[in-house]
Amino acid sequence: MQHDLAERCRAITGTRWFSVAVLALILANALVLGVETYTGFAARRHDELKLVEHCFLAAFTLEILLRAGAHADRPRDFLRDPWNLFDLAVVLCAFLPVIRENATVLRLLRLARVLRAARFLPQLRIVLVAVARSLPGTVSFLLVGALLLYVYAMVGWLFFAAEDPEHYGSLGRAVLTLFLLMTLDGLGDAVRAGLEISRWSIAYYASYVLLGSFVLVNVLIGVVLTSLEEARDMERDLEAPEASAPPSSQEVLHARVTAARRALADLERSLAELTPPPPSPPSPPAPERDPARPSR
């Protein structure tokens, strides 16, 4: 029974029109969320928008039930897929009483449905997986960046606090100033102000820009690009088993029968080569010639 249910659900979820319909629902849900930001229209159409939201929730619930039913014969495979867990969490949380009573959390939850579009867009899915895989490297980058900001902020506070308290009057102001300079925004004004204080400030700003804006940013780009390549390889590995579908039981049985017939034919050929040929019958002796009888 579970196998029949899984086959019927897979026959629905495996079709292209099912993916297109779910993607259209996700985009329509995003459109409705955008419409609700117009308070005047949302106030006039509150009941209609509420009905539309209930329809969306029913449609997404039906979708997740069909996906779970497609794994009725192997439920562990359904739970191993992180996208299935994300979809299940988004749908189930909408039925929790605590979340349904909180309008802000409920809107954030409805906004999370938009992220489900990545499931049906391979390129977007690759980018999201790459961003997730780059998080460990990004954390290391943030630690190095924070250390660099702290050191340069302390040096800036020591040298520029008295003459430029607006930007370097405290550690927090110095960190904020250097963080904005990391984007090279206002670098010219900062250098001119620093030259009025000391000519050695050019070395301070040049070294900071070199390390903060060029070296660290390039390291971050390298981490993201490496994660992007790994995500593409993972996507390729996931698509490879789907591209080569496993043979059916009938095809496997036919292949085994064919192999058995070939083995029997080879065995008969080998036996025929090993069996010696039967002996040929002896030829009759030639009649003896009488020497007294003259020859004609």
Side-chain angles (χ1 to χ4, degrees):
M1 181 178 179
Q2 293 180 351
H3 183 72
D4 295 339
L5 175 63
E7 289 294 333
R8 292 178 181 178
C9 292
R10 276 197 289 267
I12 298 175
T13 58
T15 56
R16 183 174 178 80
W17 66 264
F18 180 80
S19 301
V20 173
V22 175
L23 181 60
L25 280 174
I26 294 173
L27 296 179
N29 176 69
L31 180 62
V32 171
L33 285 176
V35 169
E36 289 181 355
T37 60
Y38 297 93
T39 55
F41 180 82
R44 291 194 304 269
R45 302 291 182 180
H46 179 267
D47 296 336
E48 290 84 350
L49 292 175
K50 201 72 175 177
L51 178 61
V52 171
E53 166 57 22
H54 289 321
C55 293
F56 280 137
L57 182 58
F60 288 128
T61 305
L62 178 61
E63 180 224 351
I64 201 65
L65 288 177
L66 288 174
R67 290 192 183 278
H71 295 80
D73 53 345
R74 38 189 176 88
R76 290 185 178 179
D77 293 344
F78 177 81
L79 298 176
R80 287 174 184 169
D81 190 350
W83 287 106
N84 288 335
L85 294 179
F86 176 74
D87 297 345
L88 185 63
V90 169
V91 172
L92 288 181
C93 288
F95 292 97
L96 297 179
V98 178
I99 295 179
R100 292 182 62 88
E101 295 172 359
N102 194 324
T104 303
V105 177
L106 186 60
R107 286 180 179 176
L108 290 175
L109 186 64
R110 292 168 59 191
L111 184 62
R113 295 175 187 168
V114 181
L115 297 177
R116 300 185 58 221
R119 184 188 188 114
F120 308 97
L121 301 174
Q123 296 300 324
L124 180 58
R125 185 167 62 243
I126 290 174
V127 172
L128 291 179
V129 172
V131 170
R133 291 186 65 85
S134 66
L135 288 180
T138 305
V139 171
S140 302
F141 165 82
L142 292 177
L143 291 176
V144 175
L147 180 62
L148 181 70
L149 278 176
Y150 178 80
V151 171
Y152 272 84
M154 287 298 298
V155 173
W157 175 77
L158 289 173
F159 286 97
F160 307 128
E163 290 80 3
D164 192 4
E166 182 181 355
H167 296 97
Y168 294 96
S170 63
L171 180 64
R173 290 188 176 186
V175 168
L176 179 59
T177 300
L178 293 175
F179 182 78
L180 295 177
L181 288 179
M182 190 177 291
T183 62
L184 304 181
D185 185 21
L187 179 62
D189 297 335
V191 171
R192 282 191 293 270
L195 288 175
E196 293 178 359
I197 300 172
S198 173
R199 60 181 180 178
W200 294 104
S201 63
I202 189 67
Y204 172 81
Y205 286 111
S207 60
Y208 174 74
V209 169
L210 180 63
L211 293 175
S213 297
F214 296 133
V215 176
L216 282 182
V217 172
N218 287 330
V219 168
L220 179 61
I221 292 174
V223 170
V224 174
L225 288 179
T226 303
S227 302
L228 188 60
E229 290 298 326
E230 293 177 357
R232 285 175 179 170
D233 294 339
M234 291 174 58
E235 188 73 17
R236 228 177 277 121
D237 295 339
L238 288 175
E239 291 178 354
E242 297 178 359
S244 57
S248 61
S249 57
Q250 187 175 2
E251 293 176 349
V252 172
L253 182 61
H254 179 71
R256 289 180 179 177
V257 170
T258 304
R261 288 177 179 174
R262 290 177 180 174
L264 279 175
D266 295 340
L267 182 60
E268 291 177 355
R269 195 179 304 111
S270 301
L271 289 175
E273 293 176 356
L274 294 176
T275 303
S280 58
S283 58
E288 296 182 358
R289 184 180 178 183
D290 190 3
R293 188 178 179 181
S295 59
R296 295 182 182 179

